[in-house]
Structure formats: structure tokens, C-alpha cells
């Protein structure tokens, strides 16, 4: 009678299997990081697009004389909160307020998740130069406060 082989894996087979799984995990980790960064970049693009469209819609409402604005003002919103909180429509005072955003999105790259959304953005007033954005009496544009650089090589603050 031939000797019966024991059933199961040998120690060497198990070590080789674990080593293969470890190598595959090491190869997948950078891909997961890039995927997470790409997701945050898409959120940033969408948030910037929403806020900038709302700022433009607010300015257009001022030009259409639907929103009361002082004669010496730029016609841009005084703060980001007014885009979501709404402003009175002076052409139809009996109706509700004009809302430009359902809610103010937050910068996905801002480090403090507890900060209010309006504090996560850098703001540029109409009077400030484009190469050195500064806050002022109104909000003409927004940018990310992150110092990180995107996958395309452009800093998020320049998007």
C-alpha cells in the first residue's frame, strides 16, 4: 500500500500565498490614494462651479433690478451666506425671497470638517486684483484655501 498524503497546505504554500497578497496590496494602495484625490478634485470643481454660477446669478438679478443694491456698490453679494439664505425680491415683495443656492457647499480640501462652509473658501472682492485676491465689501470670486497641488499640477487655490 502506498503511503497516504496528508491533506492541507504546507507552510511554504501559505507563506507564498500571503506574500502574493501583500504585493498586490502594496500595488493597489497608491491607486486608491489617487482615486480618493481625484474624487475630491471633482467635488471641488463642482462646488466652485455652483458658487460662481450663484454669484453671477446674484449679479444678474442686481442688473435686472430685482435686488436692492446701493448705487455705489459693485452689484455682487456682500457675503456667501446671502446666496443660500436668500434676498428679498423688490419687484414682487409679496413673494418669497430669491435663493441662488440650496446650501453653500464646502471646500473638500479644507482640513477642519467642523468649520462652517463659508469659512472654508477664500474670497476675492471686486476691487482686488486677480493675481492677489483679497476679501472686501463683496464677493466677486471664490477659491480654495488649500496649499496642495492638483493631479494636473495646478495649485487648488488657482482653480
Amino acid at each position: 500500500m502506498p503511503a497516504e498524503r496528508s491533506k492541507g497546505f504546507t507552510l511554504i504554500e501559505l507563506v507564498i500565498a500571503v506574500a502574493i497578497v501583500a504585493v498586490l496590496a502594496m500595488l493597489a494602495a497608491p491607486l486608491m490614494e489617487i482615486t480618493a484625490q481625484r474624487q475630491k478634485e471633482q467635488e471641488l470643481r463642482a462646488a466652485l462651479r455652483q458658487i460662481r454660477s450663484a454669484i453671477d446669478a446674484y449679479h444678474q438679478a442686481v442688473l435686472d433690478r430685482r435686488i436692492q443694491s446701493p448705487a455705489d456698490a459693485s452689484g455682487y453679494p456682500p457675503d456667501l451666506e446671502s446666496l443660500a439664505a436668500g434676498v428679498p425680491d423688490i419687484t414682487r415683495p409679496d413673494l418669497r425671497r430669491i435663493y441662488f443656492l440650496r446650501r453653500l457647499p464646502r471646500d473638500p480640501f479644507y482640513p477642519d470638517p467642523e468649520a462652517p462652509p463659508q469659512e472654508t473658501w477664500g474670497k476675492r472682492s471686486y476691487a482686488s486684483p486677480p493675481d492677489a485676491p483679497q476679501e472686501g465689501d463683496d464677493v466677486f470670486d471664490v477659491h480654495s484655501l488649500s496649499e496642495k497641488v492638483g493631479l494636473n499640477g495646478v495649485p487648488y487655490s488657482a482653480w
Side-chain angles (χ1 to χ4, degrees):
M1 274 184 113
E4 288 190 31
R5 273 188 77 171
S6 61
K7 296 180 180 178
F9 296 106
T10 65
L11 181 60
I12 297 212
E13 290 171 332
L14 288 174
V15 168
I16 290 173
V18 168
I20 290 172
V21 169
V23 167
L24 291 174
M26 283 187 350
L27 293 175
L31 184 61
M32 299 285 281
E33 290 174 15
I34 289 174
T35 302
Q37 184 176 357
R38 187 170 289 134
Q39 177 68 28
K40 280 186 167 184
E41 285 184 0
Q42 288 175 345
E43 290 175 27
L44 177 62
R45 272 191 204 97
L48 287 170
R49 191 174 299 120
Q50 285 177 355
I51 295 172
R52 288 172 176 162
S53 295
I55 290 170
D56 291 342
Y58 183 101
H59 184 65
Q60 186 61 47
V62 169
L63 294 176
D64 294 342
R65 301 188 193 280
R66 293 184 64 201
I67 298 174
Q68 189 170 12
S69 178
D72 61 342
S74 66
Y76 289 96
D79 51 35
L80 291 177
E81 296 88 0
S82 60
L83 297 174
V87 291
D89 185 349
I90 60 174
T91 62
R92 312 264 321 258
D94 57 323
L95 296 179
R96 295 184 184 179
R97 301 166 70 85
I98 302 173
Y99 296 95
F100 300 97
L101 289 172
R102 290 180 185 253
R103 66 172 181 78
L104 185 63
R106 43 183 308 106
D107 182 352
F109 289 100
Y110 196 77
D112 182 11
E114 300 299 320
Q118 63 270 15
E119 291 180 14
T120 64
W121 298 104
K123 300 160 200 79
R124 175 181 162 218
S125 73
Y126 183 74
S128 78
D131 54 343
Q134 295 176 348
E135 292 189 32
D137 296 334
D138 57 15
V139 180
F140 175 70
D141 194 14
V142 293
H143 59 89
S144 177
L145 293 174
S146 176
E147 296 178 5
K148 296 180 181 178
V149 176
L151 293 174
N152 61 359
V154 178
Y156 295 128
S157 59
W159 282 26

